[in-house]
Amino acid sequence: IEKWLSLFRQELEEMDEDRVKAEGAAVVAQLTEKDMKLSHSVGRAWGEISTRETHPDKALCWDRLERIADAIRKEPDLKKKIVEKWDEWFCGDSRGMVAWIWEGGEEGKQEFEKRKGTAGILSSREEVLETKQKFAKYDN
């Protein structure tokens, strides 16, 4: 995965401006596409609810996709912004997350108890929710 991330970053760097603009326009078109079915409208509404993005007054942010589309349209140097975000999110001090489900009877339980409480081991629902909230801040 790390190698692919590095290779794709290089591909982004080498991408010409016309292609970046075309890709940006395609993303804007997808984000602003009108829903043709009720199920799509419902899915989009639930998507907005599940992002939990709110305005300062704690109201749900129903125009999130439109704001993203506007930001893409108005970005004067889209390629530079994409590469910056790529570096921020995927390069440098990258983090990986692995989920283990302990099994194996008593032996598996002993292994879990041995690792419980060490850095990077989530052992309760509360720890999982806390980690999920921390990751949510990177969903910009």
Side-chain angles (χ1 to χ4, degrees), residues 80-92:
K80 180 180 176 188
K81 186 71 166 190
I82 291 170
V83 172
E84 284 175 1
K85 287 296 181 182
W86 186 266
D87 289 345
E88 179 184 334
W89 293 336
F90 301 114
C91 295

Side-chain angles (χ1 to χ4, degrees), residues 98-105 107-109 111-112 115 121-122:
V98 177
W100 286 5
I101 298 175
W102 299 97
E103 61 181 353
E107 185 178 316
K109 184 177 178 181
E111 182 68 21
F112 172 75
R115 293 176 184 248
I121 303 295
L122 305 178

Side-chain angles (χ1 to χ4, degrees), residues 15 17-29 72 78 82:
M15 197 178 290
E17 292 296 327
D18 289 336
R19 179 160 177 219
V20 172
K21 287 178 184 176
E23 295 291 342
V27 170
V28 167
I72 293 170
L78 186 57
I82 291 170

